[in-house]
Amino acid sequence: MTSSHSPRLPAHTPRLIATDLDGTLLRDDKSVSERTVAALAAAEEAGIEVFFVTGRPARWMDVVSDHVHGHGLAICANGAAVVDLHAGGKVIEARPLHRETALTVVRTLRAEAPGTTFAVELATGIHYEPDYPPFHLDPGATIATAEKLLHEDRPGSGAPVLKLLAHHPDLDPDAFLILARVAAGEHASITRSSPTALLEVSGLGVSKASTLALCCAERGISAEEVVAFGDMPNDVEMLTWAGTSYAMGNAHPDVIAAASGRTVANNEDGVAVVIERILEGL
């Protein structure tokens, strides 16, 4: 493993940089540093496309919408949506979680981990159960049981389900993830990015990696020409797929194991450090 102070450069000239946001590109205060803004702009100017690839929904992309150039696209909801940030975060492609599948996961986790509460992330907004922690209150949210929220006749039922969120008040986050994957992994893709026991459930085969691969294929870009950055388990598949990948200095152990290299922490502008070195090499 290369030192985080001197990250290994890609073997191939990169054509695309794919970066997670929270804990990776963003500092802990959710800001984008001036150094990082300059590095992203310099990469685009050098002909390297930049894709933001995040678990965030489109409505939380304002923090970086001013820093996307050229194509204007971002991958949101762990690969469930490709959005156009130049068009206000409009969803241009969705890879939804089928409602019946989501209900199967709900029933399974209720049985395997009593006390689990759920939220449903639609393309149009989030809705949640009465006991689900209100991490981000949405004035337009419907509050009801997951079974009712996922019923076809509920408000917003015509919108694609992008993610099912499952929270447990007591379980260890990694233990909850393992439990859920064993119990329900045959039905859906399950991951996590929060420091709490909060799981993110997508359609089977939907991940940051699989959607990024589709976007790259449309551009004739190979995995070897992609440089990726991440810090949490929902980044593992993307970091494994990319030809060159970097775990942040603050990354989860599974991310460090998956990445081909390391950089410094998000609060030290670890993404910018690598981009600057890549551009120097060009």
Side-chain angles (χ1 to χ4, degrees), residues 17 19 25 32-50 52 67 69 229 268-280 282:
I17 290 168
T19 178
L25 188 79
V32 186
S33 73
E34 290 185 8
R35 180 180 184 181
T36 297
V37 169
L40 294 174
E44 294 273 7
E45 190 173 333
I48 303 172
E49 293 193 60
V50 175
F52 300 128
H67 310 306
H69 305 270
F229 298 87
E268 301 173 74
D269 300 328
V271 173
V273 168
V274 174
I275 292 175
E276 289 165 358
R277 288 206 65 211
I278 288 172
L279 296 179
E280 287 171 7
L282 298 180

Side-chain angles (χ1 to χ4, degrees), residues 13 33 56 58 92 106 174 178 199 207 221 233:
T13 300
S33 73
R56 287 182 173 222
I92 61 172
V106 167
D174 286 328
I178 293 170
L199 305 183
S207 69
I221 295 173

Side-chain angles (χ1 to χ4, degrees), residues 36-107:
T36 297
V37 169
L40 294 174
E44 294 273 7
E45 190 173 333
I48 303 172
E49 293 193 60
V50 175
F51 262 78
F52 300 128
V53 188
T54 178
R56 287 182 173 222
R59 65 183 183 280
W60 291 352
M61 294 298 286
D62 289 352
V63 66
V64 292
S65 58
D66 290 340
H67 310 306
V68 71
H69 305 270
H71 56 78
L73 302 181
I75 296 171
C76 293
N78 289 332
V82 178
V83 306
D84 186 347
L85 297 183
H86 289 167
K90 178 183 178 182
V91 176
I92 61 172
E93 184 175 344
R95 303 180 68 197
L97 173 66
H98 295 300
R99 289 169 185 263
E100 276 303 318
T101 302
L103 283 168
T104 298
V105 174
V106 167
R107 296 184 192 109

